[in-house]
Amino acid sequence: MTLPGFSYYAKATSLTPEYYQSLLDHYWRRSGTTLYRPDQLHACCVHYTLRLDSTQFKPSRDQRQTVNRFNKYVTGAAYTAEAARLYPRSREQARKRDSEFDLIERVHEAELETLHIPPEPAHRFTVTLEDDDFTEEKYLVYENYQRVVHKEGPGDISRRGFQRFLCESPVQRKTVVTADGKEQRLGSFHQCYRLDGKLVAIGVLDLLPHCVSAVYFLYHESIHKYAPGKLGAIREIALALEGGYRYWYPGFYIHSCAKMRYKMDYTPQYILDPETLVWDLVDENVTALLDKKPYLSLSREKSEESSKDVAEDAVEDPDVTETDSMDDTDDDEDNDNTFLFNTGMPGIMSLDDIRNLDEMDHIKLRIDGSGMLFETGDLVAWQRQDVGASGCLKAGIAELVAALGPDLLDGLVVDFWNPRI
């Protein structure tokens, strides 16, 4: 169900990484096992999907300094001096390091497994990619972050809430071999940062065929002064580059929310058009439009500009009256404003599209624990019901299909049986 200005929601029990990648590129995201697609046109806070191309990323001076400052803290001055004596760089290596910022090299520079030992660094820093399972160690970081950074009270923070929000993902984990012969991990993971054996930060990530999707980042207050949020974002971009995922998706972006403006500090960013699902570079023109307009679709902007040019050249027809231009209305139209097709949500299929969709009779259904799948056309009441009559099963499935789009139907199974839902 959806209301104008809100989101369309669905629960997921199992998603392949490939399918969830497609969902992201159709303006969906997940929170735990809940999937949602916002109504950008009518929302008070418009959610936009962004992505950054890691192959084009050039960290700013501030971002470079953040990485270097943390690395120096980890290694310490004594280590740096002694390591320089024991393992001197060549003149060419020193010149290159001073003149270039190699993203992958720098983010790993202070990790324990990268350092020359002896001597001993001031701190032992490790980063591991782990399954997104619940542990008490992870929960304690979450509790500290929610309490200190988000100012939540004890009644708002719970182990079950942490588990449901950040440890229960429908995205399946697996390892694949890429075209260049490298192994690539896909699925939901926790990127765990430990300092002197203590867990101090967690990046909750969905690793997908074409992106590192940032779900949440949390850290312990003890490392706050080292800008862990920036460090996490830079490291995730480096993972996208190093792991062959290419793109970094920083989560939904709300331009009117000052706390989200930091996402635009990482460039170049691309914004997904809510109506055509085409990616556009965020440049000065796009930023200016975001500042000015409550809702932005670049395809609509171009269409309106084109229509304006045509209108200026057209000669008004005196025989056209006001009643001639009014839209016909259907008295039998369903007026339920919670019905997805009545909300005007951009980028979804229309009722006419749904009625002309042959696949509507072949949506796969799971209705018991036998493992057998049925199709919508097998249902006794299916042919008697109408997709435009809100409240009936056929209309409910039509809403889901419209929100997904026709190219996401092949892998879809509507689950009526799973006891976890």
Side-chain angles (χ1 to χ4, degrees), residues 378-398:
D378 297 330
L379 300 175
V380 174
W382 187 256
Q383 300 305 329
R384 297 200 307 267
Q385 294 180 351
D386 180 62
V387 293
S390 65
C392 70
L393 174 63
K394 193 169 187 176
I397 291 180

Side-chain angles (χ1 to χ4, degrees), residues 61-317:
R61 180 183 180 185
D62 175 66
Q63 290 160 0
R64 296 194 302 270
Q65 289 176 339
T66 298
V67 173
N68 291 334
R69 184 165 53 248
F70 180 72
N71 288 348
K72 288 179 180 178
Y73 163 72
V74 171
T75 56
Y79 173 89
T80 301
E82 184 64 9
R85 185 184 69 81
L86 294 174
Y87 316 103
R89 293 189 179 97
S90 68
R91 182 175 299 177
E92 178 61 25
Q93 288 173 329
R95 184 200 63 77
K96 183 178 180 181
R97 190 183 187 284
D98 290 341
S99 61
E100 298 179 14
F101 185 91
D102 186 307
L103 177 65
I104 294 174
E105 177 185 290
R106 293 297 176 95
V107 299
H108 294 304
E109 188 173 72
E111 291 177 18
L112 186 62
E113 64 179 23
T114 304
L115 295 174
H116 291 292
I117 296 178
E120 278 291 322
H123 303 280
R124 299 171 76 87
F125 177 59
T126 62
V127 181
T128 55
L129 197 61
E130 305 175 8
D131 291 353
D132 63 337
D133 298 328
F134 173 92
T135 67
E136 187 68 14
E137 179 189 36
K138 294 175 183 177
Y139 171 71
L140 292 176
V141 177
Y142 171 79
E143 187 279 333
N144 179 269
Y145 182 75
Q146 298 300 115
R147 174 170 49 83
V148 175
V149 176
H150 288 289
K151 311 300 181 185
E152 291 186 358
D156 299 319
I157 307 170
S158 68
R159 287 169 176 79
R160 180 61 190 131
F162 169 61
Q163 186 172 5
R164 185 171 56 248
F165 178 34
L166 298 174
C167 303
E168 292 182 355
S169 168
V171 184
Q172 304 163 7
R173 281 190 295 270
K174 63 180 180 179
T175 300
V176 299
V177 178
T178 61
D180 57 2
K182 296 180 180 178
E183 288 192 347
Q184 186 182 62
R185 299 171 76 177
L186 300 177
S188 297
F189 295 91
H190 289 163
Q191 191 169 44
C192 297
Y193 302 69
R194 291 182 174 85
L195 198 60
D196 298 325
K198 178 183 177 182
L199 184 65
V200 293
I202 307 168
V204 183
L205 306 175
D206 289 327
L207 303 184
L208 306 175
H210 305 297
C211 78
V212 172
S213 176
V215 178
Y216 204 65
F217 188 84
L218 52 151
Y219 58 87
H220 191 271
E221 61 182 314
S222 60
I223 62 167
H224 176 76
K225 66 179 179 180
Y226 296 104
K230 288 182 184 178
L231 290 171
I234 294 168
R235 182 171 283 273
E236 289 165 13
I237 294 169
L239 176 61
L241 180 62
E242 186 177 18
Y245 305 98
R246 183 169 179 175
Y247 294 102
W248 176 62
Y249 286 46
F252 278 135
Y253 172 70
I254 301 174
H255 190 68
S256 60
C257 178
K259 291 183 178 180
M260 287 199 180
R261 290 295 179 97
Y262 76 91
K263 295 183 180 184
M264 287 296 188
D265 293 338
Y266 304 89
T267 59
Q269 291 271 11
Y270 294 80
I271 189 169
L272 187 62
D273 191 301
E275 300 185 13
T276 62
L277 303 179
V278 170
W279 294 98
D280 294 292
L281 177 66
V282 178
D283 55 17
E284 291 182 357
N285 176 58
V286 172
T287 302
L289 288 171
L290 287 169
D291 287 337
K292 183 170 61 175
K293 292 180 172 288
Y295 164 75
L296 178 63
S297 162
L298 289 176
S299 62
R300 177 179 289 206
E301 288 293 313
K302 294 171 185 175
S303 176
E304 289 177 353
E305 281 296 320
S306 177
S307 298
K308 181 180 177 182
D309 292 341
V310 171
E312 289 174 351
D313 294 337
V315 177
E316 185 175 346
D317 187 345

Side-chain angles (χ1 to χ4, degrees), residues 10-34:
K11 293 289 286 186
T13 55
S14 181
L15 296 170
T16 65
E18 293 81 5
Y19 196 84
Y20 187 53
Q21 174 77 65
S22 296
L23 284 172
L24 288 185
D25 295 335
H26 283 70
Y27 253 106
W28 289 78
R29 278 195 77 83
R30 74 173 185 89
S31 176
T33 59
T34 299

